[in-house]
Amino acid sequence: MKDPESSTVFAGVDERTNTELPEWYRQKKTVNDPESFAEAVRDLPQAVETTVAYQNPYTDEWVETERFNALVEPGRARDQATESEPETDPLFHVPTDSYSIINPVDVYQPLEDVLREETIEDTSLGDVMFGEIRRYRGGGEVHMDVMFDGLEVRLPGRSDPITMGVTSGYDFFGEHAVYVEGFAQDGYCSNSIRSLTDKEVIKHVGDVRNFRTWWEEILVQIELVADDLLGFIRDAQDIDLDFSELPFTVTEFYSLLGFPDYLADRAAEDAEANAASPFEIDMWTLHSGATYALTHFFQGKEGASLDGYVRTANDILFNPEGTIERVERAYEEEMEADGDDGSQASLAGERALASIERVSDDLQEKVDQFEEREDALRERFQDVMS
């Protein structure tokens, strides 16, 4: 992803907690003295409304309008009043008068309150929370990862856990007021596993909902995912793709799923390096290859440009049947686009599709396990939200 303009690593909900970063995360971030979450949130830029005017081109007079309001950062506006060349432009956006401002404290102070009360193994979640806040566009766009040390999945043979949490963010530019979704980070390889729950989004229009209830529901969903994630991983580890029997390489597998070449290359390199055999790779390892490429080499921005690739990567783990069907459709479309170069080529293509279909047929025994596990998880999500 594109580097943020600035970032802050935090540990603990407030200054009363004595939270240390997990060793695997501290080695990655090399931060000796992280801020508390409450401090980091209150350091984020805020937005306030101010009047907008337009210049009449015929009279050169400035005419105020009630149809729009400028969103500015108040501290920067003060700097602009006293400095001839302020460091940062205070203006974020000029929306219509139906725009609802939601500032970071409005969203994340209720989270702080919930974390002080909720526990994991008799320990307050506020005592074990840690993560990172990233700022873009002058601080008008913010994304953050919030994780909980101890809310985790441990795989056999690995010393570092997969740590669960949420990724959340907001902007002042009209796209979304705030969003949140389930998130995990694999300490073994620092891969980010996103979209582990449906993305909840609140827009900049209308009344602001009860954020406390919102956070309570989301945190319960994360705990449910943590309970089931190991089962999904184990099931995916039991599904191997034998690329010596398939008509495409590991790199082409990712390309057929829609990854651009630079990501497909990186994903294949990682999957082949971590598989017992570079020709026989299980679906969990293929998923890890995709998340490795997206975490470390994606060249776009956080947000919508990343979300589609994340969903495709997650299907490798959570919906292997759908993944194989997508690969088969894409391969067939490529064959049709190449045209019929004769009976030998046509026969080769039919054999290639047959080899993919055999993989799909072999998956049928496992499909019920995935579907039953996903249906049960969705049902528990609905119980939480109702």
Side-chain angles (χ1 to χ4, degrees):
M1 293 179 294
K2 291 185 176 179
D3 291 335
E5 294 167 10
S6 61
S7 63
T8 302
V9 174
F10 61 84
V13 69
D14 56 38
E15 68 278 358
R16 291 172 291 181
T17 58
N18 188 25
T19 306
E20 294 186 359
L21 294 170
E23 180 63 25
W24 65 267
Y25 196 76
R26 185 166 58 250
Q27 290 178 353
K28 174 186 174 185
K29 295 298 181 181
T30 62
V31 174
N32 295 323
D33 189 21
E35 293 185 21
S36 72
F37 181 69
E39 289 174 306
V41 166
R42 282 152 184 80
D43 285 342
L44 292 169
Q46 301 185 61
V48 297
E49 289 183 347
T50 186
T51 304
V52 166
Y54 65 91
Q55 187 179 30
N56 185 316
Y58 301 102
T59 65
D60 286 336
E61 294 178 338
W62 286 90
V63 182
E64 292 186 3
T65 172
E66 296 180 355
R67 294 172 56 192
F68 294 88
N69 290 297
L71 302 186
V72 300
E73 209 291 321
R76 296 174 189 172
R78 286 193 296 270
D79 292 343
Q80 191 179 53
T82 58
E83 300 175 17
S84 58
E85 294 184 6
E87 183 178 344
T88 307
D89 186 347
L91 179 65
F92 286 129
H93 186 43
V94 182
T96 64
D97 57 7
S98 63
Y99 182 102
S100 297
I101 293 178
I102 303 179
N103 273 307
V105 174
D106 300 331
V107 180
Y108 298 109
Q109 183 170 332
L111 173 60
E112 296 167 23
D113 296 337
V114 172
L115 294 179
R116 292 185 185 99
E117 298 172 9
E118 297 294 327
T119 61
I120 175 174
E121 297 180 354
D122 298 324
T123 300
S124 166
L125 284 179
D127 291 345
V128 296
M129 75 175 305
F130 67 97
E132 180 184 51
I133 297 175
R134 298 175 294 278
R135 303 176 195 81
Y136 303 84
R137 293 199 280 180
E141 178 182 347
V142 170
H143 301 273
M144 65 179 73
D145 304 329
V146 180
M147 290 170 280
F148 305 100
D149 193 17
L151 185 59
E152 59 192 28
V153 173
R154 286 192 174 271
L155 300 183
R158 288 189 178 184
S159 58
D160 294 321
I162 299 173
T163 302
M164 309 296 298
V166 297
T167 186
S168 180
Y170 63 90
D171 69 46
F172 294 134
F173 300 99
E175 295 170 16
H176 51 253
V178 61
Y179 76 88
V180 67
E181 62 184 5
F183 171 86
Q185 193 156 89
D186 190 341
Y188 174 77
C189 51
S190 297
N191 291 350
S192 296
I193 307 174
R194 300 171 181 271
S195 299
L196 289 176
T197 63
D198 291 338
K199 179 179 281 190
E200 300 288 339
V201 178
I202 294 175
K203 298 185 180 297
H204 286 287
V205 179
D207 294 332
V208 177
R209 63 171 292 176
N210 184 333
F211 280 113
R212 181 186 175 90
T213 302
W214 197 60
W215 285 116
E216 288 172 341
E217 294 170 347
I218 289 161
L219 291 174
V220 172
Q221 289 189 23
I222 296 305
E223 292 178 9
L224 294 175
V225 172
D227 291 340
D228 277 17
L229 183 58
L230 181 59
F232 278 109
I233 292 173
R234 284 175 171 167
D235 289 346
Q237 287 175 325
D238 288 338
I239 300 175
D240 295 317
L241 295 191
D242 186 349
F243 285 90
S244 65
E245 298 291 331
L246 289 168
F248 46 77
T249 65
V250 181
T251 300
E252 290 166 342
F253 167 80
Y254 292 109
S255 297
L256 290 166
L257 286 174
F259 284 88
D261 290 346
Y262 80 97
L263 288 178
D265 289 338
R266 295 291 189 174
E269 288 174 8
D270 184 75
E272 290 169 343
N274 287 286
S277 163
F279 302 106
E280 192 167 331
I281 307 177
D282 65 67
M283 297 297 276
W284 163 243
T285 304
L286 290 167
H287 170 267
S288 292
T291 57
Y292 169 80
L294 292 174
T295 301
H296 302 288
F297 298 100
F298 180 65
Q299 295 174 1
K301 288 181 58 179
E302 294 188 64
S305 61
L306 177 61
D307 289 348
Y309 294 124
V310 168
R311 287 191 293 270
T312 298
N314 283 354
D315 276 348
I316 300 173
L317 174 60
F318 297 107
N319 185 14
E321 181 189 33
T323 296
I324 297 302
E325 290 176 352
R326 180 172 175 176
V327 167
E328 182 179 3
R329 287 196 303 270
Y331 186 82
E332 191 168 8
E333 288 170 3
E334 282 194 0
M335 286 178 49
E336 292 174 355
D338 289 342
D340 188 355
D341 294 329
S343 59
Q344 290 297 320
S346 178
L347 181 60
E350 290 176 6
R351 288 173 177 168
L353 287 173
S355 68
I356 303 173
E357 289 170 2
R358 282 195 297 272
V359 172
S360 182
D361 292 341
D362 292 341
L363 279 179
Q364 291 307 310
E365 295 180 12
K366 304 287 184 182
V367 166
D368 289 344
Q369 291 175 254
F370 280 87
E371 291 181 347
E372 289 172 7
R373 195 183 301 279
E374 185 174 19
D375 289 345
L377 184 59
R378 289 289 176 189
E379 186 175 335
R380 295 201 295 276
F381 280 178
Q382 292 301 317
D383 291 342
V384 170
M385 301 298 284
S386 61

